[in-house]
Amino acid sequence: VRTIAGASGLRQLDVESVLDYLVELMQSELAAGRTFRLPGLGAFRVVPHGGRRIRNPRTGEVMEVPPGRRVRFVPSSALKKLIAGGGS
């Protein structure tokens, strides 16, 4: 927050409010099953995953993990190029 405020000339309180709203918007979009894109960064999307069996390593008990949803981040092509180029 401090870095963004210093670079943009905005007050820290204003930057914090914008970031709080961004997080709330992202959460509501993902909870509704929609993709949330941040240009230049990438996209967050909800993907289903199937149920599976797991084994408790301590007791050996087999347990069922029910199907559900997870959030997946897919980086933008610009971010991929930046990272692949070593940040230059």
Side-chain angles (χ1 to χ4, degrees):
V1 171
R2 195 174 299 147
T3 302
I4 295 171
S8 67
L10 297 171
R11 296 182 315 153
Q12 286 186 26
L13 188 59
D14 294 335
V15 172
E16 191 171 329
S17 294
V18 169
L19 291 176
D20 287 344
Y21 177 73
L22 180 68
V23 169
E24 288 176 23
L25 180 61
M26 179 187 284
Q27 290 173 340
S28 66
E29 289 295 301
L30 292 171
R34 293 187 289 265
T35 299
F36 186 83
R37 287 181 173 73
L38 289 171
L41 184 64
F44 294 86
R45 61 181 51 145
V46 177
V47 294
H49 70 87
R52 64 186 192 279
R53 288 184 160 180
I54 61 170
R55 184 178 303 275
N56 183 329
R58 182 174 287 170
T59 65
E61 176 188 6
V62 175
M63 298 181 287
E64 295 288 329
V65 175
R69 302 183 314 165
R70 293 185 179 149
V71 174
R72 181 166 184 248
F73 174 72
V74 180
S76 69
S77 58
L79 181 59
K80 286 179 187 178
K81 287 177 187 176
L82 182 67
I83 292 171
S88 53

